[in-house]
Amino acid sequence: MVLRAGLIGYGKRGEALARIIRKHVPEIQVVGVADPDQERRKVAFFHHDVVMSVYSTFVTARELFNAVFPEIVIIATNPPQHCELVEMAAALGCHIFCEKPLALSSDEADRMVAAVEKAGIMSTVGFEMPFADSAQLLRSYLAAEQFGVLYRLEMTGKGRPPSYDLEEVMVHYLHFMLWLTGSRPVDVFGRIIVNGENATMGDVAAMSDIYPQSRKWGVGIRADSIEASYHLANGVIGHLFLREFAEMDHDYMALTCHGTKGRVKFFQSGT
């Protein structure tokens, strides 16, 4: 059985997801792409029979829904559109894959969860790390205490401006940490440092000025470093550190697990 999918958003991530589906998921056929950008729609059309099986492109998600009636919706837009699109797809009974971050506020996240539960559909967020064989092996080693009792996790960003990795990498680490440990934070500490001082509202700037290679909408915060510590209910301490490096390595996220008998380093490559 082949399921019909609509892809909303054909930027870098949307294009990558389309390629992954074409190469690895024969059970899904992408039958339509929606993107307001004309150039990206041209790219999606050009990839017909190259990356995926697309026979229609649309300006809006509503046009896609009305024309191709997908069973699955893949949401790869910028986060400000996630809530509206999830609610729209759920109301139409479509199963949903939504890119991270899920939402920009807890209120939006609650609305999205409520819409999915009301519709009785399946949904997921794009956290791929737990599906890697290496990640599952690491989790089994930790559960078996191969390195002793786990007491600390150290997580390092990809070396891009911290304000960007705060959005793009931090959510992956948080999800991965909770999945690895099976625990939840009981308290959290964090700080943002600029020129040796705590950041202020005066350090908020357009994200396009902070990191031109990133998104063109919204704001971020200028930062030399961002760090956060998480005290989990099982006693484990998780520490995340983000800083821009002179030689950036965008392909890897690094995690070190410290146990009472040793430590292990885990690297996850890009999609």
Side-chain angles (χ1 to χ4, degrees):
M1 178 180 180
V2 177
L3 299 175
R4 297 160 55 85
L7 175 58
I8 305 174
Y10 203 76
K12 181 179 179 181
R13 190 58 181 165
E15 185 177 345
L17 289 170
R19 187 178 298 108
I20 291 168
I21 291 171
R22 176 68 171 179
K23 186 176 181 180
H24 299 290
V25 193
E27 300 86 357
I28 295 177
Q29 180 185 26
V30 177
V31 296
V33 171
D35 195 297
D37 186 274
Q38 184 178 9
E39 290 304 312
R40 290 200 291 264
R41 291 199 304 276
K42 288 181 180 178
V43 171
F45 184 80
F46 174 77
H47 285 169
H48 175 61
D49 287 336
V50 177
V51 175
M52 56 189 173
S53 300
V54 175
Y55 61 73
S56 300
T57 59
F58 307 91
V59 176
T60 69
R62 181 63 70 183
E63 291 175 353
L64 182 150
F65 287 129
N66 291 340
V68 301
F69 308 104
E71 298 162 282
I72 299 173
V73 173
I74 302 161
I75 299 172
T77 64
N78 290 325
Q81 286 82 53
H82 287 182
C83 184
E84 178 185 3
L85 292 172
V86 165
E87 289 181 323
M88 186 186 304
L92 295 171
C94 301
H95 303 297
I96 300 168
F97 175 99
C98 183
E99 264 300 336
K100 51 79 183 171
L102 175 66
L104 297 180
S105 71
S106 57
D107 288 340
E108 283 188 348
D110 288 342
R111 284 169 51 191
M112 295 159 81
V113 170
V116 166
E117 291 180 343
K118 180 179 179 180
I121 58 173
M122 292 186 288
S123 66
T124 189
V125 181
F127 293 120
E128 71 273 14
M129 290 174 67
F131 294 95
D133 292 342
S134 56
Q136 294 182 29
L137 183 63
L138 173 62
R139 190 188 195 195
S140 69
Y141 282 173
L142 295 178
E145 298 185 354
Q146 292 287 325
F147 310 100
V149 177
L150 179 67
Y151 66 88
R152 182 175 174 84
L153 293 172
E154 293 179 356
M155 302 163 280
T156 307
K158 293 187 175 183
R160 297 173 296 198
S163 184
Y164 183 72
D165 272 355
L166 181 67
E167 297 178 359
E168 294 297 313
V169 175
M170 191 171 187
V171 289
H172 274 300
Y173 275 136
L174 293 180
H175 180 266
F176 195 48
M177 176 178 67
L178 302 186
W179 177 78
L180 279 177
T181 63
S183 191
R184 294 291 185 271
V186 293
D187 60 67
V188 178
F189 165 81
R191 62 183 174 188
I192 301 173
I193 300 298
V194 182
N195 296 325
E197 303 288 342
N198 289 328
T200 68
M201 289 300 296
D203 296 305
V204 174
M207 182 61 85
S208 57
D209 292 336
I210 297 172
Y211 188 40
Q213 300 96 314
S214 71
R215 56 179 168 80
K216 306 303 179 185
W217 54 270
V219 299
I221 189 163
R222 298 187 187 279
D224 295 329
S225 65
I226 297 176
E227 64 177 322
S229 293
Y230 305 87
H231 176 203
L232 305 185
N234 63 358
V236 173
I237 300 295
H239 184 257
L240 173 67
F241 184 76
L242 305 176
R243 185 177 179 86
E244 186 172 3
F245 305 131
E247 296 183 3
M248 294 184 289
D249 189 350
H250 295 176
D251 291 333
Y252 295 96
M253 297 195 303
L255 170 72
T256 303
C257 303
H258 296 265
T260 54
K261 296 180 180 178
R263 63 183 179 181
V264 59
K265 293 185 177 182
F266 175 86
F267 296 93
Q268 188 258 346
S269 63
T271 301

